[in-house]
Amino acid sequence: MPEQPKAPELQNRTLDARSLRGLAHPLRMRLLAALRQDGPATASRLAERLGESSGATSYHLRQLAAHGFVEDAPGHGKGRERWWQAAHDGTVFDEQLLCDEDPATRGAADLFLHEVATIHTQEVGTFLGNAHAWSPEWRRSSDISDFTLRLTPGQAAELVARMHDLVESYRDVPQSEDTETVRIHTHALPRRSAE
C-alpha cells in the first residue's frame, strides 16, 4: 500500500506583547478565525458572513496585516478585489502575558482569553442549535463532556500535553467523502473547592 503523504507541519505564531495588543479585539479574532477555518476571503465576504460592515472588516484586516496575522492571498479575485488569508495556522498564547508589567498588555491578555472562551461558547451553541441538520452518526460522534479530577499542576500539564498529542495524531488521517471539519475545544481549569 502506498504511503500517505505527510500533511505540512502547522505554522503557529507565538504572541508577544505587541502582537497580542494587535490581535486582542473581538472582530479581529473572529476575522482571523474565519480565514483560518474557511480559507481566503475579501473584506466584503467576511463582512457578510460575520454580520459586520465591510468598512469595519476592511479596517480590522489592515490592522491584522500590520501585525503580521493576515496577508494578501495570491491567485484569488480579479481587478481591485483584495483577498486576504491567514499568515499562520494557529496562535500560541504565552501565559506570562497575564503577568506582564504593562497593564495594557495584561488587559489585552484578559480580553484575548475571554474572547477565545466566547468563541468556544458560540461554536457549541451553533452546533446545538443546528444539531437536527446533522446525521445521526455525526450527532453521536459529537461530545460535550466535563470531568473533575484532583491533580497537581504537573499532572494537569501532563494531561493537557497528552490530550494535545492525541488531537495532533489525527491531523494526518486520510480524508474521505464523509470527512467534515471538527472543532475540538479543551479547557483544563483549576477550581477551588467550597470546603
Side-chain angles (χ1 to χ4, degrees), residues 94-152:
D94 180 352
E95 75 277 353
Q96 291 301 313
L97 293 166
L98 289 166
C99 304
D100 195 273
E101 292 178 10
D102 180 5
T105 300
R106 291 193 311 271
D110 186 56
L111 187 146
F112 175 84
L113 292 175
H114 278 85
E115 189 60 24
V116 168
T118 298
I119 290 167
H120 289 186
T121 300
Q122 289 170 343
E123 288 179 346
V124 171
T126 298
F127 172 75
L128 293 175
N130 296 297
H132 66 280
W134 289 96
S135 69
E137 293 81 13
W138 274 113
R139 287 193 306 271
R140 283 191 299 273
S141 299
S142 65
D143 179 58
I144 299 176
S145 297
D146 63 89
F147 307 90
T148 302
L149 305 171
R150 303 245 338 133
L151 303 172
T152 66

Short mmCIF file of all heavy atoms in Angstrom, two decimals, residues 94-152:
data_model
loop_
_atom_site.label_atom_id
_atom_site.label_comp_id
_atom_site.label_asym_id
_atom_site.label_seq_id
_atom_site.Cartn_x
_atom_site.Cartn_y
_atom_site.Cartn_z
N ASP A 94 1.17 32.80 25.40
CA ASP A 94 2.13 32.63 26.50
C ASP A 94 1.49 33.19 27.76
O ASP A 94 1.23 34.39 27.86
CB ASP A 94 3.42 33.38 26.18
CG ASP A 94 4.48 33.27 27.26
OD1 ASP A 94 4.18 32.74 28.36
OD2 ASP A 94 5.61 33.73 27.02
N GLU A 95 1.23 32.31 28.74
CA GLU A 95 0.52 32.74 29.95
C GLU A 95 1.27 33.82 30.72
O GLU A 95 0.69 34.51 31.56
CB GLU A 95 0.18 31.56 30.86
CG GLU A 95 1.34 31.00 31.64
CD GLU A 95 2.20 30.01 30.85
OE1 GLU A 95 1.85 29.63 29.72
OE2 GLU A 95 3.25 29.63 31.38
N GLN A 96 2.55 34.02 30.44
CA GLN A 96 3.30 35.09 31.10
C GLN A 96 2.74 36.47 30.74
O GLN A 96 2.95 37.44 31.47
CB GLN A 96 4.79 35.01 30.73
CG GLN A 96 5.50 33.80 31.32
CD GLN A 96 5.41 33.79 32.84
OE1 GLN A 96 5.66 34.81 33.51
NE2 GLN A 96 5.04 32.65 33.41
N LEU A 97 2.02 36.55 29.62
CA LEU A 97 1.42 37.83 29.23
C LEU A 97 0.38 38.29 30.25
O LEU A 97 0.13 39.48 30.39
CB LEU A 97 0.79 37.70 27.84
CG LEU A 97 1.78 37.50 26.69
CD1 LEU A 97 1.06 37.06 25.44
CD2 LEU A 97 2.60 38.76 26.45
N LEU A 98 -0.21 37.35 30.99
CA LEU A 98 -1.18 37.71 32.04
C LEU A 98 -0.51 38.42 33.22
O LEU A 98 -1.18 39.08 34.01
CB LEU A 98 -1.90 36.46 32.55
CG LEU A 98 -2.89 35.83 31.59
CD1 LEU A 98 -3.27 34.43 32.06
CD2 LEU A 98 -4.12 36.71 31.45
N CYS A 99 0.80 38.25 33.35
CA CYS A 99 1.56 38.84 34.47
C CYS A 99 2.50 39.94 34.01
O CYS A 99 3.37 40.36 34.76
CB CYS A 99 2.37 37.74 35.17
SG CYS A 99 1.37 36.37 35.74
N ASP A 100 2.35 40.41 32.78
CA ASP A 100 3.23 41.43 32.23
C ASP A 100 3.18 42.70 33.09
O ASP A 100 2.15 43.01 33.71
CB ASP A 100 2.80 41.75 30.79
CG ASP A 100 3.85 42.51 30.03
OD1 ASP A 100 3.87 43.76 30.11
OD2 ASP A 100 4.67 41.86 29.36
N GLU A 101 4.30 43.41 33.14
CA GLU A 101 4.37 44.66 33.92
C GLU A 101 3.43 45.73 33.38
O GLU A 101 2.93 46.56 34.13
CB GLU A 101 5.80 45.19 33.92
CG GLU A 101 6.77 44.33 34.69
CD GLU A 101 8.19 44.87 34.63
OE1 GLU A 101 8.39 46.01 34.16
OE2 GLU A 101 9.11 44.14 35.05
N ASP A 102 3.19 45.71 32.09
CA ASP A 102 2.36 46.73 31.45
C ASP A 102 0.88 46.37 31.61
O ASP A 102 0.43 45.33 31.14
CB ASP A 102 2.73 46.81 29.97
CG ASP A 102 1.93 47.85 29.20
OD1 ASP A 102 1.14 48.59 29.82
OD2 ASP A 102 2.10 47.92 27.97
N PRO A 103 0.10 47.25 32.27
CA PRO A 103 -1.32 46.96 32.44
C PRO A 103 -2.08 46.81 31.11
O PRO A 103 -3.04 46.07 31.03
CB PRO A 103 -1.86 48.13 33.26
CG PRO A 103 -0.76 49.09 33.43
CD PRO A 103 0.50 48.49 32.89
N ALA A 104 -1.62 47.51 30.06
CA ALA A 104 -2.28 47.38 28.75
C ALA A 104 -2.09 45.97 28.19
O ALA A 104 -3.00 45.41 27.58
CB ALA A 104 -1.73 48.42 27.78
N THR A 105 -0.91 45.39 28.41
CA THR A 105 -0.67 44.02 27.95
C THR A 105 -1.51 43.04 28.75
O THR A 105 -2.12 42.12 28.19
CB THR A 105 0.83 43.67 28.06
OG1 THR A 105 1.57 44.58 27.24
CG2 THR A 105 1.10 42.25 27.61
N ARG A 106 -1.57 43.23 30.07
CA ARG A 106 -2.42 42.36 30.90
C ARG A 106 -3.87 42.46 30.49
O ARG A 106 -4.59 41.46 30.41
CB ARG A 106 -2.25 42.69 32.38
CG ARG A 106 -0.90 42.32 32.95
CD ARG A 106 -0.87 42.37 34.48
NE ARG A 106 -1.41 43.58 35.07
CZ ARG A 106 -0.71 44.68 35.33
NH1 ARG A 106 0.58 44.73 35.05
NH2 ARG A 106 -1.29 45.74 35.88
N GLY A 107 -4.34 43.67 30.19
CA GLY A 107 -5.72 43.85 29.74
C GLY A 107 -5.97 43.19 28.40
O GLY A 107 -7.03 42.57 28.20
N ALA A 108 -5.00 43.29 27.49
CA ALA A 108 -5.14 42.63 26.19
C ALA A 108 -5.15 41.12 26.35
O ALA A 108 -5.91 40.42 25.67
CB ALA A 108 -4.02 43.07 25.25
N ALA A 109 -4.33 40.60 27.26
CA ALA A 109 -4.30 39.15 27.51
C ALA A 109 -5.64 38.68 28.06
O ALA A 109 -6.18 37.65 27.63
CB ALA A 109 -3.18 38.81 28.48
N ASP A 110 -6.20 39.44 28.98
CA ASP A 110 -7.50 39.10 29.55
C ASP A 110 -8.59 39.13 28.47
O ASP A 110 -9.39 38.21 28.36
CB ASP A 110 -7.82 40.08 30.68
CG ASP A 110 -9.08 39.70 31.43
OD1 ASP A 110 -9.15 38.56 31.94
OD2 ASP A 110 -10.00 40.54 31.51
N LEU A 111 -8.60 40.19 27.66
CA LEU A 111 -9.58 40.28 26.58
C LEU A 111 -9.44 39.12 25.61
O LEU A 111 -10.43 38.51 25.20
CB LEU A 111 -9.44 41.62 25.85
CG LEU A 111 -10.52 41.90 24.81
CD1 LEU A 111 -10.82 43.39 24.77
CD2 LEU A 111 -10.14 41.40 23.44
N PHE A 112 -8.20 38.81 25.24
CA PHE A 112 -7.94 37.72 24.30
C PHE A 112 -8.52 36.41 24.82
O PHE A 112 -9.25 35.71 24.11
CB PHE A 112 -6.42 37.59 24.06
CG PHE A 112 -6.05 36.41 23.21
CD1 PHE A 112 -6.08 36.51 21.83
CD2 PHE A 112 -5.66 35.21 23.78
CE1 PHE A 112 -5.74 35.42 21.03
CE2 PHE A 112 -5.31 34.13 23.00
CZ PHE A 112 -5.35 34.22 21.62
N LEU A 113 -8.21 36.06 26.07
CA LEU A 113 -8.68 34.79 26.62
C LEU A 113 -10.20 34.77 26.78
O LEU A 113 -10.84 33.73 26.53
CB LEU A 113 -7.99 34.50 27.95
CG LEU A 113 -6.50 34.21 27.83
CD1 LEU A 113 -5.87 34.06 29.21
CD2 LEU A 113 -6.25 32.97 26.98
N HIS A 114 -10.78 35.88 27.18
CA HIS A 114 -12.24 35.92 27.27
C HIS A 114 -12.89 35.78 25.90
O HIS A 114 -13.94 35.15 25.77
CB HIS A 114 -12.70 37.20 27.98
CG HIS A 114 -12.63 37.09 29.46
ND1 HIS A 114 -11.48 37.35 30.18
CD2 HIS A 114 -13.56 36.71 30.37
CE1 HIS A 114 -11.70 37.14 31.46
NE2 HIS A 114 -12.95 36.76 31.61
N GLU A 115 -12.28 36.36 24.89
CA GLU A 115 -12.84 36.23 23.54
C GLU A 115 -12.71 34.79 23.04
O GLU A 115 -13.61 34.28 22.37
CB GLU A 115 -12.18 37.22 22.58
CG GLU A 115 -12.84 37.29 21.22
CD GLU A 115 -14.30 37.70 21.26
OE1 GLU A 115 -14.74 38.37 22.22
OE2 GLU A 115 -15.02 37.36 20.30
N VAL A 116 -11.60 34.11 23.35
CA VAL A 116 -11.48 32.69 22.99
C VAL A 116 -12.61 31.90 23.62
O VAL A 116 -13.27 31.08 22.97
CB VAL A 116 -10.09 32.13 23.41
CG1 VAL A 116 -10.07 30.62 23.31
CG2 VAL A 116 -8.99 32.74 22.55
N ALA A 117 -12.88 32.15 24.91
CA ALA A 117 -13.97 31.45 25.60
C ALA A 117 -15.32 31.77 24.97
O ALA A 117 -16.18 30.89 24.81
CB ALA A 117 -13.97 31.81 27.08
N THR A 118 -15.52 33.02 24.56
CA THR A 118 -16.76 33.42 23.91
C THR A 118 -16.93 32.69 22.58
O THR A 118 -18.02 32.20 22.26
CB THR A 118 -16.80 34.95 23.69
OG1 THR A 118 -16.76 35.58 24.97
CG2 THR A 118 -18.02 35.39 22.92
N ILE A 119 -15.85 32.62 21.80
CA ILE A 119 -15.90 31.92 20.50
C ILE A 119 -16.24 30.44 20.73
O ILE A 119 -17.07 29.87 20.01
CB ILE A 119 -14.58 32.10 19.74
CG1 ILE A 119 -14.44 33.55 19.27
CG2 ILE A 119 -14.49 31.12 18.56
CD1 ILE A 119 -13.05 33.93 18.77
N HIS A 120 -15.62 29.82 21.72
CA HIS A 120 -15.93 28.42 22.01
C HIS A 120 -17.40 28.25 22.36
O HIS A 120 -18.07 27.33 21.87
CB HIS A 120 -15.06 27.91 23.16
CG HIS A 120 -13.62 27.73 22.78
ND1 HIS A 120 -12.71 27.17 23.64
CD2 HIS A 120 -12.92 28.03 21.66
CE1 HIS A 120 -11.53 27.13 23.07
NE2 HIS A 120 -11.64 27.65 21.86
N THR A 121 -17.92 29.14 23.20
CA THR A 121 -19.34 29.08 23.59
C THR A 121 -20.24 29.24 22.37
O THR A 121 -21.23 28.51 22.21
CB THR A 121 -19.64 30.18 24.63
OG1 THR A 121 -18.80 29.96 25.77
CG2 THR A 121 -21.09 30.16 25.06
N GLN A 122 -19.90 30.18 21.48
CA GLN A 122 -20.70 30.39 20.28
C GLN A 122 -20.67 29.16 19.37
O GLN A 122 -21.70 28.79 18.80
CB GLN A 122 -20.20 31.62 19.52
CG GLN A 122 -20.51 32.92 20.23
CD GLN A 122 -19.81 34.11 19.61
OE1 GLN A 122 -18.84 33.99 18.86
NE2 GLN A 122 -20.28 35.31 19.94
N GLU A 123 -19.51 28.52 19.23
CA GLU A 123 -19.42 27.33 18.39
C GLU A 123 -20.27 26.20 18.94
O GLU A 123 -20.96 25.51 18.19
CB GLU A 123 -17.96 26.89 18.24
CG GLU A 123 -17.16 27.82 17.36
CD GLU A 123 -15.70 27.41 17.21
OE1 GLU A 123 -15.21 26.56 17.99
OE2 GLU A 123 -15.05 27.95 16.31
N VAL A 124 -20.25 26.00 20.26
CA VAL A 124 -21.08 24.96 20.87
C VAL A 124 -22.55 25.31 20.67
O VAL A 124 -23.36 24.45 20.27
CB VAL A 124 -20.75 24.79 22.37
CG1 VAL A 124 -21.76 23.88 23.05
CG2 VAL A 124 -19.33 24.24 22.54
N GLY A 125 -22.93 26.57 20.91
CA GLY A 125 -24.32 26.98 20.73
C GLY A 125 -24.79 26.81 19.30
O GLY A 125 -25.93 26.38 19.06
N THR A 126 -23.94 27.14 18.34
CA THR A 126 -24.30 26.97 16.93
C THR A 126 -24.54 25.51 16.61
O THR A 126 -25.52 25.16 15.94
CB THR A 126 -23.20 27.55 16.01
OG1 THR A 126 -23.10 28.96 16.27
CG2 THR A 126 -23.52 27.33 14.54
N PHE A 127 -23.67 24.62 17.11
CA PHE A 127 -23.87 23.20 16.87
C PHE A 127 -25.19 22.73 17.49
O PHE A 127 -25.99 22.06 16.85
CB PHE A 127 -22.72 22.35 17.41
CG PHE A 127 -23.04 20.88 17.32
CD1 PHE A 127 -23.00 20.22 16.10
CD2 PHE A 127 -23.45 20.18 18.44
CE1 PHE A 127 -23.35 18.88 16.00
CE2 PHE A 127 -23.80 18.84 18.36
CZ PHE A 127 -23.75 18.19 17.13
N LEU A 128 -25.42 23.09 18.74
CA LEU A 128 -26.64 22.64 19.42
C LEU A 128 -27.89 23.17 18.71
O LEU A 128 -28.89 22.45 18.60
CB LEU A 128 -26.63 23.09 20.88
CG LEU A 128 -25.57 22.43 21.76
CD1 LEU A 128 -25.58 23.04 23.15
CD2 LEU A 128 -25.77 20.92 21.83
N GLY A 129 -27.84 24.40 18.24
CA GLY A 129 -28.98 24.98 17.54
C GLY A 129 -29.24 24.35 16.18
O GLY A 129 -30.33 24.48 15.63
N ASN A 130 -28.22 23.70 15.62
CA ASN A 130 -28.35 23.08 14.30
C ASN A 130 -28.14 21.58 14.33
O ASN A 130 -27.95 20.96 13.28
CB ASN A 130 -27.34 23.72 13.33
CG ASN A 130 -27.64 25.17 13.10
OD1 ASN A 130 -28.68 25.53 12.58
ND2 ASN A 130 -26.74 26.03 13.54
N ALA A 131 -28.15 20.97 15.50
CA ALA A 131 -27.88 19.53 15.61
C ALA A 131 -28.83 18.70 14.75
O ALA A 131 -28.43 17.67 14.19
CB ALA A 131 -27.95 19.08 17.07
N HIS A 132 -30.06 19.16 14.63
CA HIS A 132 -31.05 18.42 13.83
C HIS A 132 -30.64 18.28 12.36
O HIS A 132 -31.07 17.36 11.68
CB HIS A 132 -32.41 19.12 13.92
CG HIS A 132 -32.40 20.48 13.26
ND1 HIS A 132 -31.89 21.59 13.90
CD2 HIS A 132 -32.81 20.88 12.05
CE1 HIS A 132 -31.99 22.64 13.09
NE2 HIS A 132 -32.55 22.23 11.97
N ALA A 133 -29.79 19.19 11.88
CA ALA A 133 -29.37 19.18 10.48
C ALA A 133 -28.23 18.19 10.21
O ALA A 133 -27.90 17.94 9.06
CB ALA A 133 -28.96 20.58 10.04
N TRP A 134 -27.64 17.65 11.28
CA TRP A 134 -26.54 16.70 11.13
C TRP A 134 -27.08 15.27 11.17
O TRP A 134 -28.11 15.00 11.79
CB TRP A 134 -25.50 16.90 12.23
CG TRP A 134 -24.72 18.15 12.06
CD1 TRP A 134 -24.96 19.35 12.65
CD2 TRP A 134 -23.58 18.34 11.23
NE1 TRP A 134 -24.04 20.28 12.24
CE2 TRP A 134 -23.18 19.68 11.36
CE3 TRP A 134 -22.86 17.50 10.39
CZ2 TRP A 134 -22.09 20.21 10.67
CZ3 TRP A 134 -21.76 18.02 9.70
CH2 TRP A 134 -21.40 19.36 9.85
N SER A 135 -26.37 14.36 10.53
CA SER A 135 -26.79 12.96 10.51
C SER A 135 -26.71 12.37 11.92
O SER A 135 -25.98 12.87 12.78
CB SER A 135 -25.87 12.16 9.58
OG SER A 135 -24.57 12.06 10.15
N PRO A 136 -27.45 11.28 12.15
CA PRO A 136 -27.35 10.61 13.46
C PRO A 136 -25.91 10.21 13.80
O PRO A 136 -25.51 10.30 14.96
CB PRO A 136 -28.25 9.38 13.31
CG PRO A 136 -29.23 9.75 12.24
CD PRO A 136 -28.46 10.66 11.31
N GLU A 137 -25.13 9.83 12.78
CA GLU A 137 -23.74 9.44 13.02
C GLU A 137 -22.94 10.63 13.56
O GLU A 137 -22.16 10.47 14.50
CB GLU A 137 -23.08 8.90 11.73
CG GLU A 137 -23.64 7.60 11.24
CD GLU A 137 -24.93 7.75 10.43
OE1 GLU A 137 -25.28 8.89 10.04
OE2 GLU A 137 -25.61 6.74 10.22
N TRP A 138 -23.14 11.80 12.97
CA TRP A 138 -22.43 12.98 13.45
C TRP A 138 -22.93 13.41 14.82
O TRP A 138 -22.15 13.84 15.67
CB TRP A 138 -22.51 14.13 12.45
CG TRP A 138 -21.43 14.03 11.41
CD1 TRP A 138 -21.59 13.79 10.09
CD2 TRP A 138 -20.02 14.14 11.64
NE1 TRP A 138 -20.37 13.74 9.47
CE2 TRP A 138 -19.38 13.96 10.40
CE3 TRP A 138 -19.23 14.37 12.76
CZ2 TRP A 138 -18.01 14.01 10.25
CZ3 TRP A 138 -17.86 14.42 12.61
CH2 TRP A 138 -17.26 14.24 11.37
N ARG A 139 -24.22 13.32 15.07
CA ARG A 139 -24.74 13.69 16.39
C ARG A 139 -24.17 12.76 17.46
O ARG A 139 -23.78 13.21 18.54
CB ARG A 139 -26.27 13.67 16.41
CG ARG A 139 -26.87 14.85 15.66
CD ARG A 139 -28.36 15.01 15.92
NE ARG A 139 -29.13 13.83 15.66
CZ ARG A 139 -29.68 13.50 14.50
NH1 ARG A 139 -29.54 14.29 13.46
NH2 ARG A 139 -30.40 12.41 14.38
N ARG A 140 -24.07 11.46 17.16
CA ARG A 140 -23.48 10.51 18.12
C ARG A 140 -21.98 10.72 18.28
O ARG A 140 -21.41 10.38 19.32
CB ARG A 140 -23.75 9.06 17.69
CG ARG A 140 -25.16 8.58 17.97
CD ARG A 140 -25.30 7.08 17.78
NE ARG A 140 -25.00 6.65 16.43
CZ ARG A 140 -25.88 6.62 15.42
NH1 ARG A 140 -27.13 6.99 15.62
NH2 ARG A 140 -25.53 6.21 14.22
N SER A 141 -21.33 11.28 17.26
CA SER A 141 -19.88 11.48 17.30
C SER A 141 -19.48 12.79 17.96
O SER A 141 -18.30 13.03 18.18
CB SER A 141 -19.31 11.45 15.89
OG SER A 141 -19.55 10.19 15.29
N SER A 142 -20.44 13.64 18.25
CA SER A 142 -20.12 14.90 18.92
C SER A 142 -20.07 14.63 20.43
O SER A 142 -20.54 13.60 20.91
CB SER A 142 -21.17 15.97 18.59
OG SER A 142 -22.43 15.59 19.12
N ASP A 143 -19.47 15.56 21.16
CA ASP A 143 -19.31 15.34 22.59
C ASP A 143 -19.26 16.67 23.33
O ASP A 143 -18.58 17.59 22.90
CB ASP A 143 -18.00 14.56 22.86
CG ASP A 143 -17.77 14.32 24.33
OD1 ASP A 143 -18.64 13.71 24.99
OD2 ASP A 143 -16.72 14.75 24.83
N ILE A 144 -20.02 16.74 24.39
CA ILE A 144 -19.92 17.85 25.34
C ILE A 144 -19.82 17.18 26.71
O ILE A 144 -20.82 16.71 27.24
CB ILE A 144 -21.13 18.79 25.27
CG1 ILE A 144 -21.24 19.40 23.87
CG2 ILE A 144 -21.01 19.89 26.32
CD1 ILE A 144 -22.47 20.26 23.67
N SER A 145 -18.62 17.09 27.21
CA SER A 145 -18.38 16.40 28.47
C SER A 145 -17.60 17.29 29.42
O SER A 145 -16.92 18.21 29.00
CB SER A 145 -17.55 15.12 28.25
OG SER A 145 -18.25 14.21 27.45
N ASP A 146 -17.71 16.98 30.69
CA ASP A 146 -16.81 17.60 31.65
C ASP A 146 -16.44 16.57 32.71
O ASP A 146 -17.19 15.63 32.96
CB ASP A 146 -17.42 18.87 32.29
CG ASP A 146 -18.66 18.57 33.10
OD1 ASP A 146 -18.53 18.29 34.30
OD2 ASP A 146 -19.77 18.63 32.51
N PHE A 147 -15.27 16.73 33.25
CA PHE A 147 -14.72 15.80 34.23
C PHE A 147 -14.10 16.62 35.35
O PHE A 147 -13.60 17.71 35.12
CB PHE A 147 -13.62 14.93 33.60
CG PHE A 147 -14.04 14.22 32.35
CD1 PHE A 147 -13.89 14.81 31.11
CD2 PHE A 147 -14.61 12.95 32.42
CE1 PHE A 147 -14.29 14.16 29.95
CE2 PHE A 147 -15.01 12.30 31.27
CZ PHE A 147 -14.85 12.89 30.03
N THR A 148 -14.13 16.09 36.53
CA THR A 148 -13.46 16.73 37.66
C THR A 148 -12.43 15.75 38.21
O THR A 148 -12.78 14.61 38.54
CB THR A 148 -14.46 17.11 38.76
OG1 THR A 148 -15.44 17.99 38.19
CG2 THR A 148 -13.77 17.81 39.91
N LEU A 149 -11.18 16.17 38.24
CA LEU A 149 -10.08 15.34 38.73
C LEU A 149 -9.35 16.10 39.83
O LEU A 149 -9.40 17.33 39.89
CB LEU A 149 -9.10 15.03 37.59
CG LEU A 149 -9.67 14.38 36.34
CD1 LEU A 149 -8.60 14.35 35.25
CD2 LEU A 149 -10.17 12.98 36.65
N ARG A 150 -8.65 15.39 40.68
CA ARG A 150 -7.78 16.01 41.69
C ARG A 150 -6.35 15.77 41.22
O ARG A 150 -5.88 14.63 41.23
CB ARG A 150 -8.03 15.40 43.06
CG ARG A 150 -9.47 15.52 43.49
CD ARG A 150 -9.85 16.34 44.66
NE ARG A 150 -8.86 16.63 45.66
CZ ARG A 150 -8.66 17.85 46.15
NH1 ARG A 150 -9.37 18.86 45.70
NH2 ARG A 150 -7.78 18.06 47.08
N LEU A 151 -5.67 16.84 40.79
CA LEU A 151 -4.34 16.74 40.18
C LEU A 151 -3.41 17.80 40.74
O LEU A 151 -3.85 18.83 41.22
CB LEU A 151 -4.44 16.94 38.66
CG LEU A 151 -5.37 16.02 37.88
CD1 LEU A 151 -5.49 16.50 36.44
CD2 LEU A 151 -4.88 14.59 37.93
N THR A 152 -2.13 17.54 40.61
CA THR A 152 -1.12 18.55 40.88
C THR A 152 -0.94 19.39 39.62
O THR A 152 -1.38 18.98 38.53
CB THR A 152 0.24 17.90 41.23
OG1 THR A 152 0.71 17.22 40.06
CG2 THR A 152 0.11 16.93 42.41
#
